[in-house]
Amino acid sequence: MSVLLNSMPPHDRCKGIDLAQSDGSLDALFVARGLDPHVIQFNPAELDTYAEGDEYNAEYFFYCDFDFLKRGQDRVAKFVVPHTFLRWGHSRLQRPTGSPGELRLQEFGGDIDAPDFVRHCATNYLVKNFWHNFVHRAIQGIATHNYHQFRGAAREDSDFQSDNISNILLVRSYGLPVYASASIGADNAAQIRALFYRNRCNLIFAERARHRHADRAAMSVDEQWAEAEWRYRRSLANAISMRLVVKGLAAPSVSVFFNGRALTRERNGTERRWRTGSVVVEIASRRIDTGRPPYLPADELGNGNELTQARLNTIRMQRTEREREIVQIAVSAYEQLLRSDTGLRRSIASNMNALAERIAIPPLH
C-alpha cells in the first residue's frame, strides 16, 4: 500500500519497486532504502483502561484509525490499530476457501500451511482492509471523528464505493494490471482471481458480531430484516466488483438494489418475510435488472429457533448458486453494453484515470 502511494511524482520514493515481488523481498527493499518508518507507521494501540470485556471492545475499541500524511515528498500511511483488532485478526485467521489451483498454491510449494503462504494471506487481508479505509478517509472524507454522521443510505453507498475501489487497489498493490475494457490475459486473470480467493482468510468481523450481544438483542424484526438485506446486497456487489476486475472490466462504481416490496405473512405462529421484486445492479451508472429475486430465507432472521446443520448447508448452497446467477447476468449485460457503446467506454476510461490521478497512483488502464 505504501509503495503504491509513493510510486508517482512528487511522491516517488518508491519509484521502480516491483510490486509483484514477495512480501519478504519488499521488506528487504524497505530496509535497504530506509523507507520504514518514513512511509508507513503501524501503531498498536494500548488496551482501553475502561474496557469492560469483549462486548465493550467490539463496540468501542475495534476499528482502526487511519491517516495519510505528507512528509516532504513522501506520503505516510499511518495506522493506529487496537489490540482487539490484532487479537481477533490473529485468532480468526483461517485457511482460505478455494481449490489449490484457484489459490495458485504451486507458488508456495503446494502447502496451504506454508509460513510464507499464511503470511501472504494475512497481509493480503490487511492490505484490502486498509485500502477500504483509505477510500473512506482520502476520497469520501469519512474518518473516526465523523463516522457516525453518515448513516443509512449514505453509509451503504460509501461502503459500496470503498469495497469496489479497494478491490481495484488490492490488485494494483500486487503489481497486476487493472483494465476497464480490455482483454487481461489468462495468466493475469488467474493471478487476480487467486488474490481474491486468498483474501477470504479471516473471520475477524464475524468475531466482532459474535460479541455484540446487546446490539443484537436491541434489534427489532424490521431492523434484523434490513440488516440481512444490506449484508446480502453488499456481498453481491463485492462479488460483481471482483468478477469485473478479473475480466478486465473494472468499473468506477458498483451497487446493488432490490425491486419490489417487502411482504410479511404469519404462518404457524411464525412471521415470514420476502421480496416481491428482483435484484437490480448498478455498474458505472448503468442499471441492470437481473430478473432474479434475492435469496433471503426467513428462518435466518433469528426467530428463536436454532437452524440444523443440514438447513445451514442448504441455505449456503442455494445462496451461492443464486449469487452465481446474478453475477453472471449482471457482468454479461455490462460487457455487452461496453461492446456496443463507444461513448460509455470512453467515459469509464476517463473516470478510472481521473481516480488514479486524484489519489496520485499510476494510471488505471
Side-chain angles (χ1 to χ4, degrees):
M1 181 176 185
S2 291
V3 171
L4 192 56
L5 285 172
N6 285 280
S7 59
M8 288 286 285
H11 315 288
D12 57 358
R13 182 182 279 265
C14 298
K15 183 178 180 181
I17 292 181
D18 180 7
L19 284 162
Q21 296 180 87
S22 68
D23 297 329
S25 297
L26 286 177
D27 282 350
L29 276 173
F30 262 51
V31 173
R33 292 196 181 191
L35 291 170
D36 192 5
H38 294 290
V39 295
I40 183 169
Q41 295 179 5
F42 191 88
N43 307 298
E46 293 301 321
L47 287 172
D48 189 335
T49 57
Y50 294 98
E52 300 173 5
D54 284 338
E55 178 147 354
Y56 177 91
N57 287 328
E59 188 65 36
Y60 301 109
F61 198 63
F62 174 81
Y63 280 110
C64 306
D65 196 12
F66 300 84
D67 206 355
F68 301 92
L69 314 170
K70 291 184 179 180
R71 181 180 296 146
Q73 295 301 309
D74 297 334
R75 287 200 292 179
V76 180
K78 179 182 177 182
F79 313 120
V80 178
V81 186
H83 275 289
T84 308
F85 187 92
L86 291 173
R87 179 162 55 91
W88 291 347
H90 180 266
S91 65
R92 297 309 302 270
L93 193 66
Q94 62 170 10
R95 293 181 180 89
T97 57
S99 68
E102 290 167 332
L103 293 167
R104 292 175 69 95
L105 279 179
Q106 70 272 17
E107 297 173 4
F108 297 88
D111 182 5
I112 198 167
D113 293 318
D116 283 349
F117 183 70
V118 175
R119 180 187 180 189
H120 168 90
C121 290
T123 301
N124 174 320
Y125 186 85
L126 286 178
V127 169
K128 182 178 175 182
N129 177 265
F130 290 172
W131 277 126
H132 178 97
N133 286 282
F134 170 86
V135 176
H136 282 318
R137 178 78 185 223
I139 296 180
Q140 299 170 348
I142 301 174
T144 304
H145 71 280
N146 65 354
Y147 177 75
H148 293 287
Q149 296 175 12
F150 306 96
R151 299 176 182 272
R155 182 173 296 177
E156 292 173 358
D157 185 70
S158 75
D159 277 331
F160 280 140
Q161 184 184 39
S162 293
D163 287 344
N164 180 52
I165 295 178
S166 65
N167 284 330
I168 291 168
L169 295 178
L170 174 70
V171 171
R172 293 305 307 272
S173 297
Y174 283 88
L176 292 165
V178 172
Y179 296 119
S181 57
S183 174
I184 204 164
D187 189 61
N188 281 334
Q191 290 187 66
I192 293 169
R193 192 180 296 111
L195 277 182
F196 291 142
Y197 273 112
R198 295 168 186 171
N199 189 262
R200 301 171 185 171
C201 67
N202 210 311
L203 297 177
I204 182 174
F205 285 91
E207 182 69 12
R208 177 179 185 252
R210 190 172 72 85
H211 289 292
R212 298 180 71 193
H213 308 292
D215 186 66
R216 288 199 305 275
M219 292 177 70
S220 67
V221 174
D222 287 339
E223 289 170 330
Q224 289 181 40
W225 179 257
E227 177 72 12
E229 286 200 324
W230 161 238
R231 288 199 306 268
Y232 186 66
R233 289 166 54 214
R234 188 174 178 185
S235 176
L236 282 174
N238 196 45
I240 292 165
S241 168
M242 290 187 290
R243 177 71 65 85
L244 291 169
V245 175
V246 167
K247 289 180 67 68
L249 302 171
S253 63
V254 178
S255 304
V256 169
F257 310 94
F258 293 158
N259 273 335
R261 296 178 298 148
L263 300 181
T264 303
R265 177 181 297 167
E266 189 169 309
R267 179 183 298 172
N268 298 326
T270 301
E271 190 176 78
R272 301 288 181 181
R273 296 188 176 212
W274 71 96
R275 279 273 170 184
T276 61
S278 57
V279 174
V280 172
V281 176
E282 175 272 320
I283 305 175
S285 297
R286 291 299 299 256
R287 267 59 176 178
I288 299 165
D289 183 358
T290 66
R292 297 293 189 275
Y295 180 70
L296 289 164
D299 52 354
E300 267 195 318
L301 285 182
N303 54 18
N305 299 320
E306 289 293 329
L307 299 181
T308 65
Q309 190 58 52
R311 176 58 179 154
L312 288 171
N313 291 340
T314 298
I315 289 173
R316 189 176 299 113
M317 287 188 297
Q318 291 184 353
R319 176 165 286 138
T320 298
E321 177 59 24
R322 183 66 52 81
E323 178 181 290
R324 187 196 64 77
E325 292 178 358
I326 291 170
V327 170
Q328 178 64 32
I329 291 168
V331 172
S332 295
Y334 177 68
E335 189 171 16
Q336 292 176 7
L337 286 168
L338 281 179
R339 288 175 178 170
S340 62
D341 191 337
T342 57
L344 179 62
R345 292 199 301 273
R346 287 196 300 268
S347 172
I348 291 168
S350 176
N351 286 339
M352 298 295 282
N353 286 327
L355 169 65
E357 182 178 356
R358 180 177 180 184
I359 58 179
I361 65 169
L364 304 169
H365 303 290

